[in-house]
Amino acid sequence: MAKKLTSNGSALVGADIGYGYSKVVAQHDSVVFPSLAMHGKRLDFAAQEIAARHPGEQIHDEGSLWFVGTLAQSQGRAAELIQLRGRTADEGSLGHVFRLRMLKAAIGKLYPRHTDTLHLIVATGLPVAHMNAANELKAALVGQHRIQTDASDFVANITQVMVMPQPYGTLYSKQLKADGQLDPCFTATRTAVFDAGTYTLDLGYDDNGEYIDSLSGSREAGVYLAHERIARAINQRLGRMPSTPICDEVLRTRCLRLNGESHNFSDEVEEATQLLVDNALALLNEKLDSTFVDEIYLTGGGANLIYPAIRRVYSNAVLVDNSQTANARGYLNYALNVTSP
């Protein structure tokens, strides 16, 4: 798709900088990578081949070299990796700095051949319980930022930042079309969006276009709980503590190959998934009377894990297509809608 600009020449970006993955969507492309960073180091062997495998994931930021995304995941030990986990003690100096670094890396990936100043409008979200940090996030993102990676070098001038409750991105991915116009086929009036993320479960409720705060909320109980349960099971059975990517693979495939031998973890995955389901139902039951909800959209990286169980309790639950990137796509749709002439 050709890059479309607003009337003032700005490009639009929808950015879901999650605790597990960063999902950033522009009108011409999208990128998804783990929300991980580590201090960069010299690669003594096959440096060019490694860089080619992880393009744009070596970034110069704040005077230092950083590895991010899959490069950090593959090259860093657990103690070296930096990631967000729920609310940090100081969002301004820790959380928002990290989010900006992930956004810079994503912009570099999306616009690798750009050379002059790129003017951007960014739409993004925060967990429902963290929305009081929205102004701080805007202040951290707005301004001129040098995007200097192994694949790009230019200045991104972020002129405007829109921050909304995280689940609202999915709602806008349903209400609005890819060009930002209202979708006439969307007829639901009262809708809820349940976002099953890595560290946070988020619920947002909309009544005919109005956000209802009392029926929205967050719970610090995401997919990481299932990862921790699986890690303990693997360690108890095989005597080895696995990495998060291995736990995620076991969670989705129910088995682990080690030394050429396949180990079945179906029972352990069932228990771990039930832990996630129990927390999801607790938040839904606390906030919603499903009788008065037209549809409940399940979104986020863990949505497919909990959908069958949630559907048995809430018959109006709907699993969103491409649920991992639905928020970012919706943020972009919203930005298109409000900036249209």
Side-chain angles (χ1 to χ4, degrees), residues 81-144:
L81 298 177
I82 301 170
Q83 63 187 125
L84 288 180
R85 178 165 176 167
R87 178 181 287 278
T88 63
D90 185 343
E91 287 287 338
S93 63
L94 297 173
H96 298 334
V97 170
F98 185 90
R99 291 182 177 95
L100 177 58
R101 185 167 295 132
M102 295 298 103
L103 180 60
K104 285 180 175 179
I107 292 170
K109 284 172 169 285
L110 288 169
Y111 299 92
R113 290 176 294 279
H114 206 81
T115 55
D116 54 352
T117 299
L118 175 68
H119 301 286
L120 285 168
I121 294 174
V122 176
T124 187
L126 282 172
V128 172
H130 301 180
M131 277 299 295
N132 60 357
N135 287 335
E136 291 180 9
L137 179 58
K138 290 179 183 180
L141 299 187
V142 166
Q144 294 197 351

Side-chain angles (χ1 to χ4, degrees), residues 8 120-123 138 142-143 157-162 338-339:
N8 66 357
L120 285 168
I121 294 174
V122 176
K138 290 179 183 180
V142 166
N157 179 33
I158 300 177
T159 60
Q160 182 181 355
V161 175
M162 310 168 192
V338 300
T339 58

Side-chain angles (χ1 to χ4, degrees), residues 66-81:
W66 293 84
F67 291 174
V68 302
T70 58
L71 178 61
Q73 189 177 69
S74 66
Q75 294 294 324
R77 296 173 299 176
E80 296 177 295
L81 298 177

